[in-house]
Amino acid sequence: MPETELEGFRNYVRDWFIRNAPPEMRIRRGGIGWYYEDPKFIDAAIKWHRTLYEAGLVGISWPKEYGGLGDDVRKELIVRDVALSLGIVYPGCPGIGLSVAGPAILYHGNEEQKKKYLKRILTCEDVWAQGFSEPCCASDLAAITTRAEDKGDYFIINGRKVWSSDFHLANYYLLLARTGSPEERHRGLTMFIVDTKSEGITYRPIKQINGRPGFSEVFLDNVKVPKENVVGKVGEGWRVAMTTLNFERLNIGGAFAYAVGSAARHLVEIKRDADTLALLEEALAIKELYDRMLMLALRGEIIGPETASIKLLASEALEKIYITAISKLGPEVLVEGDLFDWSFGYIDSKGYTLLSGTSEILRNLLGELVLGLPKGV
C-alpha cells in the first residue's frame, strides 16, 4: 500500500476518533490508562469496543475467516498509534483476549478452536483471563504445581493460581497446568481453555495498594475440562506459553510505551527542564522500538524473547517519570486537584516492574536467550 494512502487512512482514523470517542473513553492525564472495577465503566468500555469493531478498527490484520479484515498490518499500527496519541481507550475490551489468548489460538490452536473463539474475542463477546503464576513459583513458571489428570475424554484440574488480571470479568481462562511429572519441568506442561463458570472454580479478588481489586487468586478443585480444550498438544504447553508471554510482554510494554510518552509530555508541559526533556527523549526512543516490534508481530512472525526489552525499558522509564514528577511537583500531588493523578500514577508504577516478569527475570532472559550469555552473567 502506498505511503500516501496510509497517510490518508491515518487522517481518516484521527477524524473518526475525534468525532466518535465518548468522554468516558479518555485516558486520564499523567496516568497509564483505565480500570475495570466500576460496572458502569465496564459496560461503556465493551460498548465502545464493539463500536470500534463495527467501524473496522479492531482485528484489521486478523484473517477474514475468523472475523478480521485481512488487511495491511500497518493500518492496525496506525489505529493504535492515533487512538493512544489522542488519549483514547483502544481497544475497549478488558482482559487478555486480543493481546494473549487470541495469538495463542491463532498460532497453536486447531481449526475448530479458531472458529469458535477468535471472532468472539474480536467482538468482545468473550472476555479472557490468564492462569500462569502460582503462589509457590511466580517467577519460575516451569515449577508450577497445578495438576491436570487425564481421565480419557477429559482432564481433571486441581491447583491454585494467583495474579490473574481481570478474572472477575472473564468467561474464559487460558490456563497452564502440569500433565507430566515435576521432574520434567517445562516438558510436562499443557495449555488449556477453561470455562470460568466450571464447577469447582472459586476466586478471591486481591486488593492492591491503590485500593483496586484488579487481580484475583483462583482456586481449582476437581475442575473438569474436555480434551478438545487443549491448545496445541498435551505436553507442549511450554511452547504455547512462550508465545503468549512474548505477546503479553509486547502488549504490556506497548501500553507502557504509550503511557511513558504521554506522561513525559505532560510533565514537560508542567515542569520543563533538562531532566524532564531527557525523559521525553527516552520515551520517544522506546516508542520507536515498540513500533518496530509490533510491526513484526502483526505481519504474522512469531516474535521471540526480545519482546521482553520493551516491557523492561518502558516499565522502568515509567517508574522513573513518576519518581521525577513527585520530586519536582511537590506536595500538591497529594491534594485533590490538577496534579492529583500523579500520586496515583506513582503508586501504580511500583508494580510495573514486577508484573509479566520482574525486571531481574527479564534481564536474565535477554542475557541468556537473546545475547547468548551463560547463566549467572
Side-chain angles (χ1 to χ4, degrees):
M1 179 177 289
E3 290 296 328
T4 53
E5 189 173 338
L6 286 175
E7 190 58 35
F9 179 73
R10 177 182 289 274
N11 293 334
Y12 161 76
V13 170
R14 183 179 180 83
D15 181 63
W16 188 92
F17 275 121
I18 291 173
R19 287 186 290 105
N20 291 283
E24 62 271 24
M25 291 298 108
R26 302 279 176 168
I27 301 173
R28 59 186 170 87
R29 286 175 63 88
I32 184 169
W34 51 97
Y35 301 92
Y36 295 104
E37 284 78 12
D38 184 345
K40 294 180 180 178
F41 184 87
I42 296 166
D43 293 342
I46 292 175
K47 181 180 178 181
W48 170 236
H49 182 94
R50 290 175 181 165
T51 299
L52 290 167
Y53 178 76
E54 290 165 4
L57 300 178
V58 172
I60 292 173
S61 65
W62 286 38
K64 286 184 179 181
E65 58 267 35
Y66 307 129
L69 296 180
D71 206 341
D72 194 320
V73 297
R74 291 174 294 178
K75 287 186 175 181
E76 195 155 331
L77 184 61
I78 286 171
V79 172
R80 183 184 297 265
D81 185 57
V82 170
L84 296 180
S85 66
L86 290 172
I88 295 170
V89 171
Y90 180 87
C93 195
I96 54 91
L98 276 173
S99 60
V100 176
I105 295 169
L106 267 172
Y107 284 118
H108 300 287
N110 57 42
E111 192 64 21
E112 183 179 346
Q113 290 170 343
K114 292 175 183 178
K115 290 180 178 177
K116 180 176 181 180
Y117 299 111
L118 291 180
K119 184 176 180 180
R120 292 177 63 87
I121 287 174
L122 289 175
T123 59
C124 198
E125 292 173 83
D126 293 327
V127 175
W128 289 68
Q130 180 177 332
F132 280 22
S133 296
E134 297 184 6
C136 67
C137 40
S139 295
D140 185 7
L141 191 58
I144 65 170
T145 60
T146 294
R147 178 134 196 106
E149 187 177 354
D150 192 338
K151 294 293 186 179
D153 293 334
Y154 58 91
F155 285 87
I156 292 293
I157 300 181
N158 284 279
R160 180 180 170 197
K161 297 290 183 178
V162 73
W163 308 122
S164 294
S165 300
D166 297 317
F167 185 87
H168 61 299
L169 303 175
N171 50 324
Y172 284 108
Y173 200 32
L174 191 67
L175 182 137
L176 190 65
R178 186 165 298 285
T179 47
S181 66
E183 292 73 26
E184 290 180 279
R185 297 277 291 172
H186 60 274
R187 289 185 295 275
L189 302 175
T190 301
M191 190 72 74
F192 296 90
I193 296 171
V194 179
D195 188 328
T196 61
K197 302 301 186 292
S198 299
E199 186 177 352
I201 294 181
T202 57
Y203 72 96
R204 182 172 60 200
I206 300 171
K207 192 172 184 179
Q208 302 169 71
I209 191 173
N210 59 17
R212 304 183 182 101
F215 303 102
S216 290
E217 188 172 13
V218 182
F219 303 87
L220 302 108
D221 183 15
N222 292 324
V223 177
K224 184 177 179 179
V225 179
K227 276 202 167 168
E228 58 262 31
N229 284 24
V230 171
V231 181
K233 296 180 180 179
V234 173
E236 294 187 3
W238 184 259
R239 181 166 169 259
V240 184
M242 291 304 98
T243 297
T244 65
L245 285 173
N246 289 335
F247 272 94
E248 178 186 41
R249 287 163 182 159
L250 178 65
N251 283 281
I252 288 176
F256 288 172
Y258 277 98
V260 167
S262 176
R265 283 191 295 271
H266 294 330
L267 185 56
V268 167
E269 290 172 7
I270 300 169
K271 188 75 173 179
R272 186 183 182 92
D273 60 22
D275 292 334
T276 59
L277 288 171
L279 290 172
L280 179 57
E281 186 175 342
E282 181 181 356
L284 295 174
I286 292 171
K287 170 63 167 51
E288 180 66 25
L289 178 60
Y290 166 69
D291 285 350
R292 289 168 57 191
M293 286 194 178
L294 182 61
M295 184 66 72
L296 291 175
L298 294 177
R299 284 175 179 159
E301 301 178 26
I302 297 181
I303 49 179
E306 65 274 4
T307 58
S309 62
I310 290 293
K311 192 269 171 178
L312 173 65
L313 292 169
S315 63
E316 292 193 347
L318 199 52
E319 185 178 34
K320 191 192 309 180
I321 286 173
Y322 284 118
I323 291 172
T324 303
I326 293 296
S327 66
K328 288 184 178 291
L329 302 182
E332 288 184 50
V333 299
L334 301 176
V335 181
E336 288 280 359
D338 292 341
L339 301 180
F340 191 53
D341 277 343
W342 289 99
S343 63
F344 276 95
Y346 175 77
I347 292 172
D348 290 344
S349 72
K350 296 296 133 181
Y352 298 160
T353 57
L354 302 177
L355 58 85
S356 192
T358 66
S359 290
E360 292 76 12
I361 290 291
L362 297 185
R363 282 190 170 87
N364 285 342
L365 184 151
L366 290 166
E368 294 166 16
L369 300 183
V370 178
L371 300 179
L373 299 175
K375 289 182 180 292
V377 174

